[in-house]
C-alpha cells in the first residue's frame, strides 16, 4: 500500500513540476516579447549605426539596455523552466513570443495586421496547443 501512495505522490510532484515549467516558460515569452519591443524602440533611435556605436548604444540608449536586461532575465527563467519540465513540451511554448510581438507591434509601431499574419498566429497557437497535449497526461 505504501508503494502505491509513494507512486501517487511522485506523480503529483511531476504534475506540479510540469505546471511550474509551463508557467515559467509562459513568463519567458512575455519577457522575450517585451525585450524585442524595447530593442526595436532603441534601434529606431540609432543614427548611422556602426559596429562600435551600436555596441556603445547598448549602454547609452535606455530602451536597448532595458531590452537586453529583459533578455537576460528571460534566460534565467528559461533555465529554471527547463529544469522543471520536458524540453519537447516547453520549447514550443517559446514560439508564442511571435504572437505577443505581432500584437505589440501593432500597438507600439502601428504595424499592419492582415489576414496572413492572423493565419500565422492561429497556426502558432494551434501548434503549441497540439504539442502541449502530452503535458496533460
Amino acid at each position: 500500500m505504501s508503494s502505491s501512495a509513494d507512486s501517487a505522490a511522485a506523480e503529483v510532484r511531476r504534475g506540479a513540476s510540469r505546471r511550474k515549467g509551463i508557467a515559467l516558460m509562459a513568463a519567458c515569452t512575455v519577457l522575450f516579447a517585451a525585450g524585442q519591443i524595447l530593442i526595436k524602440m532603441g534601434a529606431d533611435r540609432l543614427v548611422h549605426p556602426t559596429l562600435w556605436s551600436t555596441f556603445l548604444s547598448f549602454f547609452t540608449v535606455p530602451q536597448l539596455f532595458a531590452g537586453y536586461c529583459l533578455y537576460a532575465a528571460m534566460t534565467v527563467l528559461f533555465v529554471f523552466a527547463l529544469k522543471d519540465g520536458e524540453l519537447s513540451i516547453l520549447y514550443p511554448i517559446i514560439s508564442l513570443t511571435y504572437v505577443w510581438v505581432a500584437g505589440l507591434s501593432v500597438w507600439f509601431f502601428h504595424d499592419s495586421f492582415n489576414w496572413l499574419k492572423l493565419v500565422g498566429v492561429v497556426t502558432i497557437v494551434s501548434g503549441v496547443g497540439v504539442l502541449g497535449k502530452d503535458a496533460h497526461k
Side-chain angles (χ1 to χ4, degrees):
M1 194 71 148
S2 175
S3 173
S4 176
D6 290 343
S7 176
E11 186 59 37
V12 168
R13 283 191 300 274
R14 277 192 296 275
S17 182
R18 282 187 192 128
R19 286 187 298 278
K20 179 181 174 186
I22 290 169
L24 287 171
M25 193 59 77
C28 285
T29 67
V30 172
L31 291 175
F32 202 17
Q36 289 177 21
I37 296 299
L38 286 167
I39 290 168
K40 167 69 172 144
M41 288 176 170
D44 286 347
R45 296 185 61 198
L46 301 179
V47 180
H48 306 298
T50 64
L51 183 61
W52 181 246
S53 69
T54 300
F55 175 75
L56 288 177
S57 68
F58 292 165
F59 305 102
T60 59
V61 176
Q63 292 92 340
L64 282 176
F65 185 76
Y68 283 109
C69 285
L70 288 178
Y71 270 27
M74 187 277 307
T75 302
V76 171
L77 283 181
F78 193 77
V79 169
F80 285 108
L82 292 177
K83 177 188 174 298
D84 289 324
E86 296 176 39
L87 182 61
S88 62
I89 300 296
L90 295 176
Y91 200 75
I93 295 171
I94 209 71
S95 65
L96 292 175
T97 301
Y98 297 109
V99 174
W100 303 129
V101 169
L104 292 171
S105 293
V106 171
W107 180 268
F108 285 102
F109 307 117
H110 309 292
D111 288 0
S112 65
F113 196 85
N114 57 31
W115 69 272
L116 284 174
K117 287 182 184 177
L118 180 62
V119 168
V121 165
V122 169
T123 301
I124 290 170
V125 172
S126 299
V128 170
V130 168
L131 290 169
K133 275 292 198 194
D134 188 43
H136 299 296
K137 288 184 178 179

